[in-house]
Amino acid sequence: MPRLYGFDDASRRRLRDDEVGPLRQMVSRALSNQSNQDVAVWANGEGYRGTLGGEWKDASVGRLFRNPAIAGLRYDDDGELVDAGHPGAITREEFEALLEREKARSTKDAEPAYDYLLTGGGSTCGKCTQDLGGARTNAGTPGYRCRPKDKNGHGGCGEVRIDAELLEDHVGEYVVAELLKPGIRAQIAKAQAAVRKQVERLKRDVEDLEGRQSELGRLYGNREISSEALVAGEREIAANLKHIRPRLRYAEQMANFSLGHAKDLVKWWNSAPTASKRAITLLLLEKIEVFPASARGVRTIEPGRVVLHWRKLSSMSGG
């Protein structure tokens, strides 16, 4: 069986460095409303080829985008997306956006996929601390919600919903105001340098854990450890990887953006790619808590409903 694009081998235990960047760019273009054909033309023009050396086609791009493994996921017996136990090149939210885009392509009147700014750990439920996910209302309007627990007990209280544009505009105003403070750019530069060091440390931690994973397999293959020891060791390593990989993903996002020479920060914010805005938001804000509205249909941010927890950049840059 040929390996999946973005991974070193069929086991998918390690990402292939020279394919992760192109894959993420392909996904970003798809989520910017480019067709699979347009994505294929771009990838071929850049010299990128599939795992068997062939040029990208509309169909092969579509198959790649529908495979949950690119986000480190798989479908369980009930058809639900669950952690597959291996790394992913994109986030769960990006993959779900690809699925939503696929539905929009196959349904004439469906709404196009919405590029959420604050999913994937960017915002949390103030009542139960569950991460908020993107979800459209019955009217088709993009929003954020705390998903209620499913039959397997995964999820939160389900009591928080908020309009996406309302929340993102509110957070954006405060982020831009913070960026306008004297000396903040110098602090950001120092904090990013510290985050880049953290990225390297986390990468080494991941490589060390993956090396231990391979060593366990070797020891078991040589009958030097029991199957019980193998299972226990792999379970511990998987738990550590599950903890580290999201931290690495967030750190990479925080490290990889630049304000450049933007003089009009409001204009920059309004026109910047979502990835750049998400990166600066993650860097400046440790947590965004959202609480329930006082009543249904509230179209304003009531006092105390959204609580922003700012990072101390000086302590980040100090290590």
Side-chain angles (χ1 to χ4, degrees):
M1 182 178 71
R3 65 179 179 82
L4 180 65
Y5 189 80
F7 293 86
D8 258 345
D9 53 40
S11 70
R12 300 170 185 169
R13 289 196 172 187
R14 185 185 294 274
L15 293 171
R16 193 180 185 94
D17 291 340
D18 61 347
E19 291 180 355
V20 169
L23 174 53
R24 288 175 178 166
Q25 290 183 65
M26 291 165 73
V27 170
S28 294
R29 288 174 175 273
L31 297 181
S32 298
N33 293 325
Q34 288 192 16
S35 68
N36 289 351
Q37 180 62 35
D38 289 339
V39 172
V41 169
W42 171 82
N44 293 330
E46 293 293 316
Y48 303 131
R49 296 294 183 266
T51 54
L52 298 179
E55 290 195 340
W56 289 100
K57 307 290 185 185
D58 184 322
S60 56
V61 169
R63 284 195 298 272
L64 179 67
F65 288 169
R66 289 191 297 272
N67 194 323
I70 62 175
L73 304 170
R74 63 176 178 84
Y75 289 107
D76 65 12
D77 293 339
D78 297 319
E80 299 292 329
L81 284 172
V82 297
D83 188 352
H86 62 69
I90 64 173
T91 65
R92 181 190 184 103
E93 290 69 32
E94 287 169 330
F95 181 71
E96 289 177 338
L98 287 176
L99 294 182
E100 189 175 344
R101 167 183 176 268
E102 187 68 20
K103 291 178 184 177
R105 291 174 68 233
S106 60
T107 306
K108 184 178 179 181
D109 297 324
E111 292 286 340
Y114 183 79
D115 196 6
Y116 289 96
L117 174 65
L118 303 172
T119 52
S123 55
T124 61
C125 174
K127 293 200 68 175
C128 68
T129 72
Q130 176 80 9
D131 287 349
L132 298 184
R136 289 186 180 271
T137 65
N138 292 334
T141 305
Y144 292 86
R145 68 175 292 201
C146 174
R147 296 185 185 277
K149 284 184 171 57
D150 59 23
K151 60 185 178 182
N152 296 317
H154 302 305
C157 65
E159 295 186 29
V160 169
R161 279 181 175 270
I162 190 168
D163 179 83
E165 185 177 357
L166 188 66
L167 177 60
E168 291 174 4
D169 285 351
H170 177 80
V171 171
E173 288 177 10
Y174 279 89
V175 169
V176 171
E178 187 73 11
L179 292 173
L180 289 170
K181 289 182 179 179
I184 192 69
R185 289 200 186 207
Q187 291 185 54
I188 287 174
K190 290 181 180 178
Q192 276 193 294
V195 169
R196 290 190 184 102
K197 291 180 180 178
Q198 184 186 29
V199 167
E200 295 307 313
R201 288 197 299 271
L202 290 171
K203 283 183 176 179
R204 288 196 295 270
D205 289 344
V206 168
E207 289 177 359
D208 178 60
L209 287 167
E210 290 176 339
R212 287 170 55 193
Q213 209 168 34
S214 298
E215 178 64 10
L216 277 175
R218 187 191 68 78
L219 291 173
Y220 179 69
N222 292 339
R223 299 183 179 181
E224 296 179 46
I225 59 173
S226 66
S227 60
E228 291 80 6
L230 173 67
V231 170
E234 287 193 332
R235 185 182 296 121
E236 180 185 354
I237 290 171
N240 286 331
L241 287 171
K242 189 174 182 179
H243 173 68
I244 291 174
R245 281 178 177 142
R247 291 176 58 200
L248 174 59
R249 178 71 176 173
Y250 297 150
E252 285 178 327
Q253 289 184 68
M254 286 189 279
N256 295 326
F257 87 99
S258 173
L259 288 174
H261 300 290
K263 294 180 180 179
D264 186 343
L265 286 168
V266 174
K267 185 176 180 181
W268 175 85
W269 178 267
N270 289 333
S271 61
T274 301
S276 295
K277 292 193 286 189
R278 185 182 294 117
I280 190 68
T281 302
L282 284 170
L283 186 64
L284 293 176
L285 287 163
E286 187 173 326
K287 182 169 61 173
I288 301 169
E289 287 184 299
V290 183
F291 293 86
S294 61
R296 282 182 173 272
V298 174
R299 288 291 304 168
T300 59
I301 299 290
E302 302 167 295
R305 187 180 182 197
V306 176
V307 181
L308 307 180
H309 296 263
W310 297 95
R311 294 187 190 275
K312 294 182 179 179
L313 294 182
S314 57
S315 63
M316 287 179 67
S317 58

